[in-house]
Amino acid sequence: MVGACLEFGGRVVPFAPFVEAFRTLARSVEPARLPALLGTSRHELARFVPELALHSAAVVERPEFDRNLQARLFEAVLASLERLRLASPVVVIVEDIQWADDDTRDLIGFLHPHLRSSRVLIALSVGTAELAR
């Protein structure tokens, strides 16, 4: 699973690497396999990745973000990664971490201790030319 942190006009895109990674996953597997791969976390993730909605034609509202929603999203990402690792080892690559928003950094910080002893590797890349900023 690969996703990049994005910067647009000096602003960062929240959760961009995880949205990209789960969007790619949704597009790369048969829709009928998604429930087995993601389990009940699929509904929560669909708030941020509409391609994961139960019905492809369903409209997914992006709710006003709050800390309760953040906690549910963090748990959903964790549960999904733990479920995916049952089928095979999982590698999550987050590129351009220098542009990560606070929420993305918090999510990575949340995942790290929970996935430490599992078959999930989180790799971060940084563009060193941007570090001076």
Side-chain angles (χ1 to χ4, degrees), residues 58-95:
V59 175
V60 178
E61 271 188 49
R62 288 189 87 145
E64 191 68 31
F65 191 74
D66 63 25
R67 292 298 156 206
N68 185 39
L69 178 60
Q70 181 188 49
R72 291 192 339 245
L73 174 65
F74 283 18
E75 289 294 338
V77 171
L78 175 62
S80 295
L81 293 175
E82 287 179 332
R83 191 170 179 99
L84 287 168
R85 72 160 172 84
L86 296 175
S88 67
V90 175
V91 177
V92 178
I93 300 171
V94 178
E95 296 178 337

Side-chain angles (χ1 to χ4, degrees), residues 99-132:
W99 290 326
D101 62 292
D102 291 341
D103 291 317
T104 296
R105 285 193 298 270
D106 289 346
L107 176 54
I108 293 167
F110 171 80
L111 293 173
H112 175 260
H114 291 93
L115 297 172
R116 193 176 330 196
S117 61
S118 68
R119 297 180 344 159
V120 177
L121 171 68
I122 299 177
L124 309 173
S125 77
V126 62
T128 57
E130 300 296 325
L131 289 179

